[in-house]
Amino acid sequence: MIMIRWYPDTVPDVRLSVVIPAFGGAGELAVCLASLDACQDLLHEVIVVDNASTDRSGDWTAAHYPDVRLIRNRENTGFGGACNAGLAAAQGEVLVLLNQDTMVRGEWLAALVKAFADDSSIGIAGSKTLYPDGTIQHAGAVVDSRGASEHLGYHQADNGQFERMTDADYVTGASLAMRRSVYEQIGGFDPGFYPAYLEDVDLCYRARAAGWRVVYVPTSVLVHNERSSAATPNYAGALLYHR
């Protein structure tokens, strides 16, 4: 296990689990895991779910990060399935989903935990997600009257226009924190969304229907490369998204 050294003046003493679904991309996973060193003092456990990778990502993780809990899926169960496997194994009071192609900043995790500590009605909290060039990828999200989803701030320069914590229709699963009590009440991702897209929207809608707030936390910041195969802008990707 990772040694825990709490910051009692700023962050409450809670057990935190970070779940990273992984499919290939060992190089990106290496960057992600290395960036977690900035907040390792807050972590109880990190779980990597290897989704039947063909590039030996699981072996690499086991060799280089023996303290990380590794789950090896025999087949690719999609983003939601991998997350669900990690959530089922996690022991934390706060459960955090994190994409493998991300790099978190120092206060990323502490800011999410503080949001839960400050308001017991918050059930799910999401982060400000940036592209590598510094523009915004996600600052909360909405679903319009047609059912189409939209990330607020998408591709805008980050000039401080999204610095207030706000309620959101949903937050991206690239960095999504959830109270254990919410997980126990509504469960994880619906497997019907396999292999990808809108699982996070559905999860947040179910949480809000159960009476919990879903919020965007601007002080929780990470960089997301968004290079997953599911994000490929081709016909198959468009078909999955609209389905």
Side-chain angles (χ1 to χ4, degrees):
M1 286 295 178
I2 296 172
M3 295 299 293
I4 302 172
R5 298 188 298 278
W6 299 108
Y7 303 114
D9 295 334
T10 57
V11 182
D13 184 352
V14 297
R15 292 162 65 94
L16 303 169
S17 299
V18 173
V19 174
I20 305 172
F23 178 71
E28 290 183 331
L29 182 59
V31 172
C32 178
L33 290 172
S35 74
L36 287 175
D37 288 343
C39 50
Q40 70 172 12
D41 292 346
L42 303 176
L43 286 168
H44 171 67
E45 62 181 353
V46 177
I47 300 172
V48 170
V49 182
D50 179 31
N51 220 3
S53 299
T54 57
D55 68 345
R56 302 180 66 84
S57 291
D59 293 340
W60 180 92
T61 301
H64 291 84
Y65 285 89
D67 287 343
V68 168
R69 187 173 178 184
L70 178 63
I71 298 174
R72 298 178 188 259
N73 284 346
R74 293 186 176 182
E75 59 184 23
N76 188 332
T77 59
F79 173 74
C83 288
N84 284 347
L87 289 170
Q91 301 174 0
E93 298 167 51
V94 174
L95 309 172
V96 187
L97 301 175
L98 180 66
N99 274 20
Q100 72 183 71
D101 55 348
T102 59
M103 181 173 63
V104 304
R105 296 186 177 174
E107 296 302 312
W108 162 76
L109 186 57
L112 294 172
V113 177
K114 187 176 186 301
F116 289 130
D118 289 347
D119 190 334
S120 61
S121 70
I122 294 174
I124 290 178
S127 307
K128 175 189 283 185
T129 307
L130 304 175
Y131 284 106
D133 65 3
T135 59
I136 296 170
Q137 182 184 123
H138 171 89
V142 296
V143 176
D144 67 21
S145 59
R146 298 176 297 120
S149 59
E150 178 185 0
H151 286 193
L152 298 177
Y154 188 63
H155 278 300
Q156 294 181 22
D158 186 14
N159 295 321
Q161 67 272 46
F162 295 103
E163 292 304 305
R164 290 177 55 250
M165 187 174 77
T166 56
D167 286 84
D169 286 350
Y170 73 97
V171 292
T172 176
S175 173
L176 183 154
M178 175 169 50
R179 293 185 190 270
R180 171 165 290 280
S181 53
V182 176
Y183 172 66
E184 291 175 346
Q185 181 179 5
I186 69 171
F189 289 130
D190 183 340
F193 288 88
Y194 173 86
Y197 294 131
L198 303 187
E199 310 97 323
D200 46 7
V201 181
D202 174 71
L203 182 75
C204 291
Y205 264 67
R206 285 189 281 124
R208 293 196 298 116
W212 295 96
R213 290 179 64 196
V214 174
V215 300
Y216 154 72
V217 182
T219 49
S220 172
V221 183
L222 72 159
V223 175
H224 183 204
N225 287 316
E226 198 176 39
R227 293 178 183 169
S228 70
S229 59
T232 303
N234 56 20
Y235 176 81
L239 187 64
L240 280 175
Y241 178 81
H242 287 284
R243 181 206 62 155

